[in-house]
Amino acid sequence: MSDIGADLDALSLAARERLAAASSAEAVDALRHHLLGRSGELTALLKQLGSVPAEERPALGQRANEVRGELESAIGVRLSQLQAGDLEARLADEAIDMSAPGRPLRAGHLHPVLTTMRDLREIFHAYGFEVFEGPEVETEEYNFELLNIPPDHPARDLWDTLYVAEPGSIEAGESRPATDGTILRAHTSPTQIRAMRALDPPIRVLTPGRCFRYEAVDASHGFEFFQIEGLVVDRDTSLADLKGMLEEVARALYGRDVRTRFRPGYYPFTEPSVAFDIGCLVCGGEGCPACKRSGWMTILGAGMVHPTVLRNGGFDPDEYQGYAFGMGPDRMTMLRHGIGDIRLFFSADLRFLGQFSEGR
Ligand SMILES: [Zn+2]
């Protein structure tokens, strides 16, 4: 055997070592090209066969073919090893640890004011009241005129609201721009007119919703808040019906032993008007700072629907009467949970809101 035989053995040995060290399919491919390609190391050795004695050529040629075969199969083996390794690594990457603790799901819950409103709806539902909703963007006509509050009526100051105006239409120093009478509703009462015009008597509706006021914001006043009003229109509806209804509701809300009283009140859209009080929940009636030492807390305003308002709703006041009452769910919620500042409701502070998730 000539040196070519030894060279073939050396090439085979070196090739296996380099193959074993190749760490990627790309490296193996490059090595294959380097060993077996047209200008590769093995091809270069074969080219030298022409210079060896003729009797040695067949054996050397056969040995060269064996080496080529061995290298090709070694390359195949190495490639599948690498692929298997890749798969293993990928599986290890993608493995799911079934014993790892799960990520907690953060479920939302009702806002405490909405919870109060739902409770009120449930109580009134038992007395046959249905929910009737109106728009938050209203007209001055519905918000004031139709409710017996004509322009320039001093009572309008109680319900000063936010006007919807064209951009640029507000002159400097002017608080009330010239508008087409579009406003954010100052109370849910306009919905009573809408309900009277839309429904056939007997009417028993609740009108929950958001209201807006042009108001300096402090611990007990917000520029947006909720109201729930109730309206009953029927023949022979009386103040006694209203009183009985409200006493039932007070018991449902605050327990059978709650004390109640009517006081004279004033609203332009009811006549007579009353304030409805319950015995102070904090001191039980002895007098404390929460009830301003009176022993009573006002929870709603009410009255018999004013004949003008009935007429504006499409009813003849000689035939139909009605009563209406309005509650402030924000204040009621503050009372219920001992919350001292109304601004917390809209502060979007999860430390505050998170306290009301229990059982809801
Ligand atoms: Zn008190």
Side-chain angles (χ1 to χ4, degrees), residues 39-50:
S39 48
E41 290 180 17
L42 186 64
T43 315
L45 278 178
L46 287 172
K47 280 179 184 158
Q48 295 175 28
L49 277 181

Side-chain angles (χ1 to χ4, degrees), residues 280 282-285 287-288 290-291 295:
C280 178
V282 178
C283 64
C288 70
C291 58

